[in-house]
Amino acid sequence: MVKHIVSWKFKPEVSAEERVQVAAEFEERLRAVKEAAEGVLEVKVVAPPLSTSTVDVVLDSTFVSVEALAAYQVHPDHVAAGAACVKPYMTDRTCCDYEV
């Protein structure tokens, strides 16, 4: 299995209301990708995390293999979710992928 953990900060100009809406839409879109793409075991969006965190949104996902992760990353629905929910609102992306 492969874990894919990504985090972002919201752009400063994004309001509190927009943050809630964007995070909810992002999770909804990624859950749809989970159903459409092969090899996706789990997709979870955490927003907001605990106040001790240094990021605003976390994607915690699990895949059956490195190949499944690679296919997910170029899946049209995944690309569309990023274009709609990440690029306009978020910055400072960090990513950690590892095998378990």
Side-chain angles (χ1 to χ4, degrees):
M1 287 192 312
V2 173
K3 290 294 287 182
H4 175 62
I5 302 172
V6 186
S7 63
W8 300 267
K9 293 185 72 84
F10 277 111
K11 293 177 180 178
E13 62 270 18
V14 179
S15 71
E17 294 82 19
E18 285 177 307
R19 291 173 184 225
V20 171
Q21 292 171 351
V22 167
E25 179 182 350
F26 190 45
E27 183 163 29
E28 182 178 319
R29 285 174 169 263
L30 292 181
R31 287 191 183 278
V33 177
K34 177 185 182 281
E35 300 308 317
E38 289 188 36
V40 184
L41 298 174
E42 180 181 25
V43 171
K44 185 167 131 181
V45 174
V46 178
L50 293 176
S51 63
T52 53
S53 301
T54 59
V55 298
D56 298 315
V57 179
V58 176
L59 166 64
D60 183 355
S61 50
T62 308
F63 298 83
V64 297
S65 66
V66 172
E67 295 79 14
L69 171 59
Y72 161 85
Q73 290 176 322
V74 297
H75 191 282
D77 294 344
H78 176 261
V79 173
C85 299
V86 174
K87 291 182 183 182
Y89 302 99
M90 299 182 208
T91 185
D92 298 335
R93 179 185 184 271
T94 60
C95 177
C96 180
D97 297 329
Y98 62 95
E99 290 187 275
V100 291

